[in-house]
Amino acid sequence: MLDYEKTYAESIKNPEDYWEGIAKELSWYKPWSKVLDWQYPYARWFVGGETNVVYNALDRHLETPVADKTALIWISQDMSERKFTYKQLNTEVSKFANGLKSLGVKKGDKITIYLPRIPEQFIAMLACLKIGAVHSVVYSGFSADALKNRVEDAQAKIVICSNSYPYGKKIIDSKKNVDIALAENKTVEHVIVVERIKNNTNDTNSRIKHIKWNELVTSQSTECKTEVMESSDPAFILYTSGSTGKPKGVIHGHGGYMVGIYATLKYVFDISPDDIFWSTADAGWITGHSYILYSPLINGITTFVYEGTPDFPDIEIWWRLIDKYKITKFYTAPTAIRALMKFGEEHLKKYDFSSLKILGSVGEPINPEAWLWFYKHVGREKIPLMDTWWQTETGMHMITPIPSVKLKPGSAFKPFFGVEADVVDDHGNKVPPNTQGYLIIKKPWPSMFLDVYNNPTRYKETYFEKIPGVYFAGDSAKIDEDGYYWIVGRNDDVIKVSGHRLGSAELESAFVSNPKVAEAAVIGKPHEVKGESIKAFIILKQGVTPSDELKTELVQTVRKSIGPIATPDEIDFVEKLPKTRSGKIMRRVLKAQELGLPVGDTSTLDD
Ligand code: WTA
């Protein structure tokens, strides 16, 4: 195993050399002429190089023994299995890619994928990249309105969805959401429908042409040439929430992105060829893109996916699956650990877990209690737990341990190789040890996002202007006397509810979409299981009477506008909101008041 300090010191002597060495482990159609072109705030890696993520995730394995290895194991909610070797997955991807081409999809076209956790979700993603189309995966739990905004912003030409699908005991009619979302759409030409549940045909009387997935692929050739892409050509757009406005489309490219995700998985999870890697995320989020799909395949290992939730059909399902499928690396979120912890460790005692070699955590700060529980009862105090800090924008792990280092429960350790980070004050000066400050990244890294789709101003303002010269992550952190990073949480108006990223502004506009609401202010409040929960302060329109029924109605308003993940826990009706003289709501003041903390500087407060 690697010596972290030595390797890190070498890697940052010249990060470009370090990343170039990694890039050489992957396959390129044409080598780069320059490792990095850094025109602040835009980084372009492996300039002049030509490749494709799929060339590395599938094609390059086909001539090797990896071809017959299992690439994907998928388990449905009723425990049926679908397994694909690399060769078989390549065939499915090629057929679907040819299907997309037959519908006129060309390089650079945008395709929205609104699918639940089923193999077609991954096949569709790979097929898009293979032909140079740009996918935008929208989490299947998002509502029709949220889907509509994302399809419109991306100007998608195709939407891929399922008719309906099982989710725990429920059946979700997801096609209905698509019909609502596309009712007035102007750019979508075709909707491709996967029949997750047989014989469930929905009425599709919209003007957009609908095609069933199976019918589209039946007569397609199993051969499809992988498109040659420039290193910084876009691979995908993924919408994520920020402090202000609507969710933004984070763009990732082919070359740099694949280099970063390849190296991080390889070293953080100490990848070996016989690994069966299970990330419990959904491909609707960046963790699913980077570490369920692309990096495990680029590394040539087996990725494991369970369709259901951690509590269905019962709360031991994850533990049973780990033993049954001999999972070697298990990567999940603190919120899931905290939820499962509540049922007690008795539920884990009868499981063997001897296949497990490394555990991982992502999505929000992990409290030492949850860390120790996971380490003790799942890891049996024998295997390392990697707390990985990163973001949709970073594409890859940034602050993370590797298995050989000494761990401290609750700390995400130190920067990954080739990554230079720090914790600074308002002026960009390093803060003393154990002092809270802003987490920044000092130099570009290969999986850095390329831009915000259709909004370069937002790219510059959000990430590169708060502290000039560096990437401003939006998180607060401390570095202790041993150099270990402790992530405190977001320092902007982003709320992490069960690891899902939501913006206060987007929640507030959901509330005011109800005609009874005049104004809304939303804050995140610490929550024992979810990490944070949503609390809203609502000013009603004149003449509207506050009531519990109205609270219920407002909860529905938000669920309809964003989705069940945005369900508020508390709603207070108020007469006034703290504002600056220029009319900006001071959420910081509301939050301090709510938590009984000092409200701080209120000199700019209007009232
Ligand atoms: C938070 C998820 C503490 C953080 C990959 C970040 C974490 C945001 C950790 C990005 C961690 C993620 N410890 N906080 N290990 N991992 N976060 O874009 O606030 O959905 O800014 O990406 O999640 O969320 P996103």
Side-chain angles (χ1 to χ4, degrees):
M1 274 206 208
L2 287 179
D3 173 336
Y4 170 84
E5 298 297 343
K6 192 167 155 265
T7 313
Y8 181 76
E10 272 164 24
S11 76
I12 60 155
K13 261 191 231 151
N14 188 340
E16 291 175 40
D17 286 351
Y18 175 76
W19 291 115
E20 179 166 40
I22 303 279
K24 285 184 179 160
E25 293 177 28
L26 296 172
S27 301
W28 298 75
Y29 297 114
K30 192 178 138 205
W32 49 91
S33 50
K34 194 174 177 197
V35 177
L36 172 65
D37 182 19
W38 178 220
Q39 310 261 354
Y40 181 82
Y42 289 104
R44 295 297 176 249
W45 285 86
F46 310 112
V47 183
E50 290 175 354
T51 186
N52 188 312
V53 170
V54 172
Y55 183 43
N56 284 275
L58 293 174
D59 305 6
R60 72 171 185 146
H61 300 310
L62 300 178
E63 306 306 319
T64 74
V66 178
D68 295 312
K69 188 167 160 178
T70 307
L72 169 66
I73 305 178
W74 177 81
I75 309 300
S76 75
Q77 274 207 164
D78 53 16
M79 299 301 125
S80 62
E81 283 177 14
R82 284 172 75 188
K83 286 189 183 176
F84 300 80
T85 62
Y86 274 84
K87 218 189 251 165
Q88 289 164 337
L89 187 59
N90 182 63
T91 302
E92 297 306 317
V93 169
S94 299
K95 279 162 71 181
F96 188 66
N98 285 326
L100 289 174
K101 280 190 182 169
S102 73
L103 302 178
V105 175
K106 295 196 186 61
K107 189 170 174 172
D109 282 344
K110 316 292 182 302
I111 298 187
T112 298
I113 302 176
Y114 183 62
L115 282 171
R117 206 153 36 197
I118 54 176
E120 285 77 7
Q121 189 182 35
F122 305 108
I123 294 168
M125 290 167 76
L126 291 161
C128 287
L129 266 48
K130 189 172 176 66
I131 59 171
V134 176
H135 65 62
S136 158
V137 180
V138 177
Y139 175 58
S140 54
F142 276 122
S143 69
D145 289 355
L147 174 64
K148 177 175 183 276
N149 290 334
R150 286 161 174 78
V151 173
E152 279 170 8
D153 190 81
Q155 295 161 297
K157 196 164 164 182
I158 305 258
V159 172
I160 307 167
C161 64
S162 78
N163 51 359
S164 52
Y165 64 91
Y167 186 77
K169 292 195 192 87
K170 290 189 243 167
I171 298 289
I172 309 289
D173 186 355
S174 83
K175 181 59 180 33
K176 195 169 123 196
N177 285 348
V178 175
D179 290 343
I180 299 169
L182 300 186
E184 288 154 25
N185 185 281
K186 302 263 182 320
T187 61
V188 174
E189 293 168 9
H190 293 95
V191 174
I192 302 169
V193 187
V194 179
E195 284 189 291
R196 169 65 186 92
I197 295 178
K198 282 271 171 284
N199 299 324
N200 175 317
T201 39
N202 294 312
D203 183 18
T204 53
N205 58 356
S206 102
R207 53 169 194 89
I208 302 165
K209 198 155 177 335
H210 286 65
I211 305 157
K212 288 188 182 147
W213 174 293
N214 285 341
E215 288 167 14
L216 180 67
V217 297
T218 46
S219 55
Q220 299 297 339
S221 154
T222 57
E223 307 273 318
C224 174
K225 195 183 149 290
T226 302
E227 195 71 39
V228 174
M229 305 299 284
E230 298 269 319
S231 178
S232 292
D233 275 343
F236 63 84
I237 301 172
L238 183 57
Y239 285 87
T240 191
S241 300
S243 317
T244 52
K246 285 187 181 177
K248 55 196 164 201
V250 166
I251 311 176
H252 280 287
H254 280 262
Y257 174 71
M258 76 178 187
V259 170
I261 61 168
Y262 161 74
T264 43
L265 189 74
K266 177 173 169 175
Y267 293 116
V268 175
F269 284 91
D270 188 30
I271 292 304
S272 65
D274 51 359
D275 270 328
I276 304 183
F277 186 84
W278 183 9
S279 159
T280 64
D282 187 287
W285 315 111
I286 192 68
T287 307
H289 283 60
S290 299
Y291 300 113
I292 296 178
L293 185 60
Y294 295 124
S295 186
L297 296 190
I298 293 170
N299 275 283
I301 59 164
T302 303
T303 191
F304 179 89
V305 177
Y306 170 54
E307 179 184 36
T309 55
D311 57 357
F312 188 87
D314 58 70
I315 52 131
E316 292 182 15
I317 181 63
W318 280 8
W319 317 135
R320 271 204 303 284
L321 290 172
I322 289 175
D323 271 4
K324 180 163 180 207
Y325 290 94
K326 308 218 171 342
I327 303 298
T328 58
K329 315 280 160 82
F330 182 65
Y331 191 29
T332 192
T335 185
I337 298 163
R338 289 191 297 260
L340 292 165
M341 237 170 107
K342 290 203 130 192
F343 300 108
E345 48 270 19
E346 290 66 42
H347 288 284
L348 288 84
K349 289 207 173 114
K350 57 176 174 283
Y351 298 98
D352 177 45
F353 294 158
S354 60
S355 59
L356 286 174
K357 296 199 176 101
I358 293 174
L359 302 176
S361 171
V362 60
E364 47 174 323
I366 180 162
N367 47 314
E369 204 193 352
W371 195 104
L372 288 165
W373 189 88
F374 193 28
Y375 177 72
K376 193 164 169 198
H377 300 292
V378 183
R380 303 276 151 86
E381 293 180 77
K382 280 192 244 151
I383 60 169
L385 163 47
M386 305 291 101
D387 176 12
T388 61
W389 176 89
W390 58 295
Q391 308 174 302
T392 305
E393 295 86 338
T394 70
M396 65 180 220
H397 303 145
M398 298 295 282
I399 312 280
T400 175
I402 59 167
S404 57
V405 304
K406 185 179 169 296
L407 301 169
K408 296 190 191 185
S411 162
F413 190 62
K414 300 180 187 183
F416 185 74
F417 307 134
V419 173
E420 286 173 72
D422 211 341
V423 174
V424 299
D425 64 16
D426 283 318
H427 308 290
N429 301 316
K430 191 177 180 62
V431 296
N434 297 308
T435 310
Q436 185 169 326
Y438 302 113
L439 178 58
I440 56 150
I441 310 293
K442 298 203 275 196
K443 287 197 182 142
W445 62 97
S447 296
M448 181 169 165
F449 63 142
L450 299 175
D451 211 338
V452 173
Y453 188 62
N454 280 338
N455 205 340
T457 311
R458 205 156 162 200
Y459 175 85
K460 290 188 201 102
E461 283 176 2
T462 313
Y463 306 100
F464 296 98
E465 280 175 3
K466 297 213 167 100
I467 297 173
V470 301
Y471 171 79
F472 186 83
D475 278 284
S476 289
K478 294 177 189 177
I479 302 179
D480 71 14
E481 55 291 342
D482 300 323
Y484 281 53
Y485 284 64
W486 298 78
I487 313 292
V488 179
R490 298 290 309 194
N491 53 37
D492 54 8
D493 292 313
V494 167
I495 307 176
K496 274 270 168 163
V497 185
S498 300
H500 299 133
R501 183 167 159 178
L502 297 161
S504 296
E506 140 198 32
L507 286 154
E508 288 158 4
S509 74
F511 277 106
V512 297
S513 72
N514 186 306
K516 293 173 188 158
V517 175
E519 271 188 276
V522 169
I523 60 163
K525 251 180 99 167
H527 185 280
E528 209 192 328
V529 174
K530 297 197 258 189
E532 282 187 286
S533 66
I534 296 165
K535 169 147 193 178
F537 299 87
I538 304 288
I539 303 181
L540 292 171
K541 290 223 177 110
Q542 285 242 313
V544 182
T545 326
S547 67
D548 283 346
E549 290 73 53
L550 185 51
K551 283 189 187 173
T552 316
E553 180 185 325
L554 293 178
V555 169
Q556 289 312 319
T557 303
V558 176
R559 289 172 66 102
K560 182 175 167 290
S561 161
I562 303 174
I565 55 168
T567 306
D569 271 28
E570 286 173 82
I571 297 177
D572 276 8
F573 295 115
V574 295
E575 298 287 320
K576 265 188 164 183
L577 289 169
K579 284 190 188 161
T580 60
R581 270 168 226 132
S582 57
K584 206 171 156 285
I585 296 170
M586 292 182 83
R587 301 187 189 103
R588 172 179 69 74
V589 172
L590 284 170
K591 190 159 174 170
Q593 201 174 44
E594 187 66 28
L595 304 182
L597 299 171
V599 290
D601 180 12
T602 52
S603 55
T604 56
L605 202 62
D606 182 39
D607 181 350

